[in-house]
Amino acid sequence: MNPELAEAYNSRGATYANKNEFDRAIQDYSTAIELNPELAEAYKMRGFAYNETDALEYALKDLTRAIELNPEDTQAYNIRGIIYATTGRVDEAIQDCSKAIELNPEDTEAYKTRGIIYTAIGDFDTAIQDYNKAIELNPEHAGTYTNRGEAWLHLSEWEKAKVDINTAKNMGVDIVASFHNDYETVADFEAKYGVKVPENIAALLRGD
């Protein structure tokens, strides 16, 4: 009825993205942008879709444009921060997460994402501060307990690690799979960081 309605293409693109049909989503977002080059949401969502298809440079370009058009969009900063972290641009990743938090101090995802970045660079104490805040804001998010538990492992805070790992497990997280996303075995973790994980925690991580 109205083939030049940019918002309709943008909404259909979001539907395709929800179905993990990212190529079709990108097509619709691109049409929305052609029809309305100032539609910040379409750039942001196309950037998200590009990220899901590993077209990271295209994703960064779109998210940067989305932020230029709407500098108050915390989600755009969060997504761009994740991509910066993935591509090794750690300082920029932290800046984007911090900007999202500045804009919305209750942005749980920004605290969690920044915590993951701090964990990746070995700043476990700062990571835990961010995980603490994320859990304070959303105590039902199981994955944050997993992340904080891993940070406690690095600090050899065994009891705290055990509590968080068990909490995440009781909330439905596959602890074994989650741990093996980062480390092949408990022994690999121990060798890499020069620690000895207590047997009761090692058993949790092995699924014994």
Side-chain angles (χ1 to χ4, degrees):
M1 295 179 68
N2 184 355
E4 296 191 0
L5 187 60
E7 290 77 5
Y9 284 102
N10 185 64
S11 295
R12 190 172 68 177
T15 302
Y16 282 135
N18 286 336
K19 296 172 64 180
N20 294 326
E21 297 181 26
F22 295 110
D23 289 337
R24 299 180 77 174
I26 288 167
Q27 290 176 7
D28 271 351
Y29 293 137
S30 297
T31 301
I33 289 166
E34 288 174 10
L35 293 169
N36 182 0
E38 304 298 306
L39 187 58
E41 185 72 10
Y43 286 101
K44 178 181 74 176
M45 296 310 297
R46 190 173 68 174
F48 168 78
Y50 276 136
N51 180 45
E52 293 297 314
T53 60
D54 293 323
L56 301 185
E57 289 303 316
Y58 287 112
L60 285 174
K61 182 178 178 181
D62 272 353
L63 289 160
T64 298
R65 181 57 179 155
I67 288 168
E68 289 171 353
L69 291 167
N70 182 8
E72 305 293 309
D73 189 335
T74 59
Q75 187 182 35
Y77 287 104
N78 275 332
I79 300 170
R80 192 175 69 172
I82 292 169
I83 298 171
Y84 277 145
T86 301
T87 55
R89 297 164 68 173
V90 175
D91 290 342
E92 291 161 293
I94 291 173
Q95 287 172 10
D96 269 359
C97 292
S98 298
K99 182 62 177 180
I101 291 166
E102 176 189 326
L103 291 168
N104 178 11
E106 296 189 359
D107 189 336
T108 305
E109 284 302 312
Y111 285 106
K112 180 187 174 186
T113 300
R114 195 172 66 177
I116 292 169
I117 295 165
Y118 280 128
T119 297
I121 64 174
D123 189 349
F124 304 112
D125 289 313
T126 306
I128 286 168
Q129 291 177 22
D130 275 344
Y131 294 141
N132 288 345
K133 186 63 178 178
I135 288 169
E136 175 189 328
L137 291 168
N138 183 7
E140 302 303 316
H141 196 291
T144 312
Y145 293 97
T146 307
N147 295 329
R148 191 174 67 177
E150 184 176 319
W152 288 128
L153 288 176
H154 285 283
L155 295 173
S156 299
E157 292 280 2
W158 307 122
E159 286 306 311
K160 293 177 180 178
K162 182 180 177 182
V163 169
D164 275 348
I165 291 167
N166 272 320
T167 299
K169 182 179 179 181
N170 291 336
M171 295 173 75
V173 174
D174 185 338
I175 293 299
V176 177
S178 179
F179 185 76
H180 287 298
N181 282 337
D182 298 320
Y183 310 99
E184 187 172 343
T185 65
V186 174
D188 288 336
F189 177 86
E190 292 175 328
K192 183 173 182 178
Y193 295 104
V195 298
K196 179 61 178 175
V197 178
E199 180 55 29
N200 60 343
I201 298 175
L204 278 173
L205 299 173
R206 291 193 303 263
D208 294 352

